[in-house]
Amino acid sequence: MTFTPSEEHPALYRAFGIDTLQLRASQINGCGFCVDIHTKDAAAAGETSARLNLVAAWRHSTVFTEAERAALALAEEGTRIMDGYEGVSDETWAQVRRHYDDDQVIALVSLIAVINATNRLGVILNNRGGDYESGNLATLAV
């Protein structure tokens, strides 16, 4: 399954690099395969090295907008359910709703669910990061 937010939600993709959001969830889940893919694809799409390097520490950086911070918080809270989190906080939902419309929220939630499932497949199947060449995502099979 390939989620193509740039085609389905071009405004959302322009507002927030989808690879960056997927990168953060993949970091949390420890999926080297997906971290490799989303780091390389984000860089190829023009994401800066400073922003890519700071995704893991986004709360302690100055390179993300308030809208991006809301999406990153949603991704983290939605991903960390397995860590005993009770889901997405009311504060995070308020921030997300402030910056994204209904269609964009659905796209974000769907993307977070899909990347979490993909991360789990990558880890379960022992797919390792390091060999991915940017732009070849459509040719990969998990």
Side-chain angles (χ1 to χ4, degrees):
M1 170 184 271
T2 303
F3 185 76
T4 54
S6 58
E7 294 171 11
E8 295 171 23
H9 297 280
L12 179 60
Y13 195 85
R14 284 191 303 274
F16 185 78
I18 297 303
D19 284 310
T20 308
L21 188 70
Q22 292 176 316
L23 172 58
R24 183 62 192 130
S26 299
Q27 290 170 333
I28 293 167
N29 288 322
C31 182
F33 183 68
C34 292
V35 167
D36 189 31
I37 289 169
H38 298 298
T39 301
K40 289 175 181 173
D41 282 352
E47 190 62 81
T48 68
S49 60
R51 286 171 49 92
L52 288 173
N53 291 333
L54 288 168
V55 167
W58 65 270
R59 292 181 193 276
H60 301 282
S61 69
T62 60
V63 298
F64 299 100
T65 67
E66 290 302 314
E68 291 168 332
R69 289 173 179 283
L72 285 163
L74 180 66
E76 282 195 3
E77 291 176 26
T79 298
R80 291 189 183 274
I81 293 170
M82 65 178 217
D83 294 337
Y85 281 66
E86 295 183 20
V88 179
S89 70
D90 291 342
E91 179 182 337
T92 295
W93 275 121
Q95 290 298 318
V96 167
R97 299 303 295 166
R98 182 175 304 150
H99 297 286
Y100 299 102
D101 65 27
D102 289 345
D103 287 342
Q104 292 171 326
V105 171
I106 291 167
L108 283 169
V109 169
S110 298
L111 179 69
I112 293 162
V114 169
I115 192 58
N116 275 282
T118 303
N119 291 159
R120 281 155 181 75
L121 285 171
V123 172
I124 290 167
L125 297 173
N126 201 29
N127 291 333
R128 307 252 175 181
D131 296 328
Y132 177 72
E133 293 183 27
S134 182
N136 289 332
L137 184 59
T139 65
L140 297 178
V142 178

